[in-house]
């Protein structure tokens, strides 16, 4: 672990970020260049004291989970993230692990869209990052582990998903999930992460096996979904998908499909975070 180099790198990256880039007002009384240490700690979900010790070169070796949180908070590029891991004495995550960290540019877009729900997903539909309105609408999905982190797996194995959608919309949603997964399997032929997920789904769900055998292929780009929110009722959203050039990650932006949905989304924004929906699918 290169403590002095790590401390200098973290300090310089913190000072290089404009507060507005991460959704923090840049008021006239700010005297600190870039972000304050308290703001980095809040964004990364760690104590201010630990951020201070890291920047002073007197911390214990940070874990890979903590480094990932710092990389997201500081909006590091892929190269900067790898450098951070090396300075801390860890090997950077392998390709599959890196793909599960939201790209810095996409995270900045989450901040820029403001009160419009948006999230960053992997090509396997793992939710990598969400803005505040996305969490209010769908709940926080970034902490899910195991196969539950895949939307497709939850679609076919969690019975509450069918109830939330209703039978007809669930069938449409399930077919889209399978067709999209088929497209990913074609692009990532032989990838054990993809083939393993498919085999586990085949073992877990008759519906998945039937749809998979139909060999439909379709990359999701635009869609319309209805969310049955426990606090404000039904909200119908148009979903627009923007993908990275390598198709490895995507930005999903959700806008109200009608005036009633717009009013209910605004009510949800005003109510804020008091309780989340159980597990609303995307």
């Amino acid at each position: 672990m290169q403590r002095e180099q790590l401390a200098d790198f973290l300090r310089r990256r913190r000072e290089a970020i404009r507060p507005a880039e991460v959704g923090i007002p840049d008021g006239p009384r700010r005297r600190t260049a870039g972000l304050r240490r308290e703001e980095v700690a809040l964004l990364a979900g760690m104590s201010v004291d630990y951020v201070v010790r890291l920047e002073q070169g007197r911390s214990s070796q940070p874990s890979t989970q903590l480094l990932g949180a710092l990389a997201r908070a500081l909006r590091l590029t892929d190269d900067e993230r790898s450098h951070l891991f090396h300075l801390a004495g860890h090997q950077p995550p392998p390709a599959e692990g890196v793909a599960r960290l939201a790209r810095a540019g996409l995270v900045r877009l989450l901040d820029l869209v403001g009160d419009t729900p948006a999230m960053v997903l992997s090509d396997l539909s793992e939710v990598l990052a969400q803005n505040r309105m996305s969490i209010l609408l769908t709940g926080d999905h970034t902490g899910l582990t195991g196969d539950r982190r895949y939307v497709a797996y939850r679609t076919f194995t969690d019975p509450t998903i069918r109830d939330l959608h209703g039978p007809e919309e669930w069938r449409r949603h399930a077919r889209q999930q399978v067709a999209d997964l088929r497209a990913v399997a074609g692009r990532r032929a032989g990838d054990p992460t993809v083939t393993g997920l498919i085999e586990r789904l085949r073992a877990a769900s008759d519906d998945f096996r039937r749809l998979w055998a139909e060999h439909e292929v379709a990359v999701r780009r635009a869609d319309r979904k209805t969310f049955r929110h426990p606090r404000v009722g039904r909200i119908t959203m148009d979903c627009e998908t923007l993908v990275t050039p390598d198709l490895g990650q995507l930005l999903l932006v959700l806008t109200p499909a009608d005036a009633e949905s717009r009013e209910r989304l605004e009510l949800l924004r005003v109510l804020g975070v008091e309780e989340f929906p159980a597990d609303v699918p995307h």
Side-chain angles (χ1 to χ4, degrees):
M1 176 177 172
Q2 303 175 56
R3 282 187 172 81
E4 291 185 5
Q5 292 295 321
L6 176 63
D8 184 68
F9 180 67
L10 289 173
R11 185 169 56 252
R12 290 181 183 274
R13 298 321 307 153
R14 173 174 62 81
E15 294 173 352
I17 298 179
R18 292 179 300 172
E21 291 183 70
V22 294
I24 297 174
D26 191 1
R29 296 186 178 182
R30 290 186 70 95
R31 293 177 294 178
T32 304
L35 295 180
R36 299 186 178 100
R37 287 166 172 166
E38 294 83 356
E39 293 164 342
V40 172
L42 178 63
L43 291 169
M46 62 186 65
S47 70
V48 178
D49 178 66
Y50 193 69
V51 173
V52 171
R53 285 187 284 122
L54 279 169
E55 289 197 2
Q56 292 179 348
R58 55 187 183 86
S59 70
S60 58
Q61 185 182 36
S63 66
T64 56
Q65 291 81 6
L66 189 149
L67 292 172
L70 279 171
R72 290 189 291 272
L74 295 172
R75 305 302 196 256
L76 300 187
T77 66
D78 291 347
D79 291 337
E80 290 170 336
R81 183 168 50 222
S82 294
H83 185 61
L84 173 67
F85 274 75
H86 283 304
L87 291 178
H90 293 288
Q91 286 297 313
E96 191 269 338
V98 169
R100 289 174 57 198
L101 295 175
R103 294 187 178 184
L106 294 181
V107 175
R108 292 190 186 102
L109 287 174
L110 289 183
D111 300 326
L112 291 174
V113 298
D115 289 336
T116 301
M119 62 190 76
V120 180
L121 300 97
S122 73
D123 57 352
L124 287 177
S125 292
E126 302 163 271
V127 180
L128 308 178
Q130 298 174 261
N131 64 6
R132 175 178 179 270
M133 281 307 300
S134 169
I135 292 173
L136 287 176
L137 179 63
T138 72
D140 190 345
H141 296 273
T142 58
L144 296 177
T145 59
D147 283 334
R148 280 186 52 76
R149 69 179 186 267
Y150 301 112
V151 174
Y153 194 87
R154 299 201 307 276
T155 297
F156 287 96
T157 62
D158 187 344
T160 63
I161 302 298
R162 297 181 189 238
D163 297 334
L164 288 165
H165 272 298
E168 183 175 348
E169 184 161 339
W170 180 88
R171 284 191 291 269
R172 182 178 64 83
H173 179 70
R175 185 174 291 276
Q176 289 177 338
Q177 287 289 330
V178 174
D180 187 67
L181 182 56
R182 175 72 77 173
V184 176
R187 292 195 305 270
R188 294 171 57 175
D191 187 324
T193 301
V194 181
T195 56
L197 174 61
I198 293 168
E199 288 307 309
R200 292 191 298 275
L201 274 166
R202 285 167 58 89
S205 170
D206 292 337
D207 288 317
F208 179 84
R209 283 197 302 275
R210 176 178 54 79
L211 291 171
W212 187 255
E214 295 181 14
H215 210 123
E216 291 186 5
V217 182
V219 177
R220 287 186 300 162
R221 292 186 175 88
D223 194 11
R224 176 170 288 189
K225 289 184 172 61
T226 298
F227 298 86
R228 299 182 181 182
H229 198 282
R231 302 177 68 200
V232 298
R234 294 170 64 91
I235 304 179
T236 301
M237 306 291 285
D238 286 325
C239 310
E240 191 67 37
T241 302
L242 308 175
V243 299
T244 56
D246 64 358
L247 304 180
Q249 293 188 8
L250 56 91
L251 177 70
L252 180 65
V253 181
L254 302 99
T255 56
D258 50 50
E260 184 178 25
S261 294
R262 188 178 303 111
E263 291 174 359
R264 291 183 177 183
L265 188 68
E266 174 61 18
L267 174 60
L268 185 59
R269 184 190 68 80
V270 173
L271 290 174
V273 180
E274 293 178 5
E275 62 182 29
F276 294 143
D279 192 8
V280 181
H282 311 297

